[in-house]
Amino acid sequence: MPDKSDIKARFDEYFWRKMYPLMVEKEKVRLKYLGNFKKLIIISVILLPVVIFLLGALICYISDDGTTNLNYIFVVIAINVFIMRGPAVKYRSLVKKDMMDCFINFFDGFKYESGNGLNLQEMEDLYIFPRADECVVDDCFLGVYNGVNIRVCEELLTKNIKTSKGEKEVPVFFGVILELDMNKSFHYHTFVTKDKGILNGFSRKGFERVALEDVAFEKVFEAYSQNQIEARYLLTTAFMERMLKLKELYKGSDIQFSFVNSKVIIAINTNENMFEPCSLFKSNLQEKQVYKVFEQFITIFSVVDTLKLNQKTGM
């Protein structure tokens, strides 16, 4: 990877020449929608208590069911919250794509495509994600770095669970998914998950637990494959050491791998909303938001370098 300080210096020049003028332009848009949001707050403060009072009085008049009364009030509040989100959602949809397109143009060969990620079935077939009922794809980047094709997506997986109050949607994965070309050819599916301790014992027809010699690796991960020989060919001692370094790079986040179709797919559960250069409630003229995205993106390149995926080797 080129020297990080050199990339940073070039990005500084690009930022002030290309991005900052766009940020100044988008700041006018932000102030407009922030004004709309403030107006909604004023209207809500004045009208919401009146609506709740009148609705409560009406329901009490036609029914003695206090619970039903309370439920209707919750519905009114939920509708109000949804309406209040309007300016922030609209602002984000209008501004973010332009900002990200400008940002990604700094990195030759990359493009920004929101929503172009793995679907729910594709994720289930990798065996490194928890079972889920819905998948929401946010940011996606596609490009080539050091000869390695890369797709980076931020995705959210949620599962519906039953509670005493009905069904509830809970997140089971929120993070970054990296899809990278491998530097080795292979034919079978191998995947690596975090070690589950006494809960080890993945059961899937056609897969076997792979016993590996790296003790440090075995304490953190567990591997399964359709072919033991090919699994050891992929998970060399050097590669396992790099996977441990990658976990350190992401500060101990849950990281899991799947080797399939000549690619390695890496799931990093960050629990952080990444790649966000703009917010309705923060000035666009604060460059630290863009530089945070820059640092996050540089970290993606570090994955390729850490795993040495640009070094071609044969079977």
Side-chain angles (χ1 to χ4, degrees), residues 15 29 32 55 65 91 189 198 227 259 267 269 277 283 293 311:
F15 173 83
V29 179
K32 172 186 173 183
L55 182 62
D65 188 348
Y91 167 75
H189 186 180
I198 61 173
N227 186 281
F259 301 87
N269 199 344
S283 170
V293 177
Q311 295 182 3

Side-chain angles (χ1 to χ4, degrees), residues 106-170:
F106 172 75
F107 300 95
D108 293 337
F110 275 82
K111 61 181 179 178
Y112 174 73
E113 289 188 4
S114 180
N116 184 15
L118 297 174
N119 60 44
L120 190 59
Q121 185 59 57
E122 289 173 325
M123 296 175 81
E124 288 181 357
D125 292 342
L126 295 172
Y127 303 139
I128 57 175
F129 296 97
R131 292 196 176 276
D133 297 306
E134 187 176 357
C135 171
V136 179
V137 184
D138 192 0
D139 302 302
C140 285
F141 305 90
L142 294 89
V144 180
Y145 169 70
N146 271 1
V148 178
N149 289 314
I150 300 176
R151 177 164 66 163
V152 183
C153 295
E154 185 181 32
E155 303 199 32
L156 168 68
L157 287 175
T158 59
K159 185 176 181 62
N160 298 324
I161 62 171
K162 292 182 179 180
T163 68
S164 58
K165 297 182 179 180
E167 202 170 68
K168 181 181 178 181
E169 187 178 75
V170 297

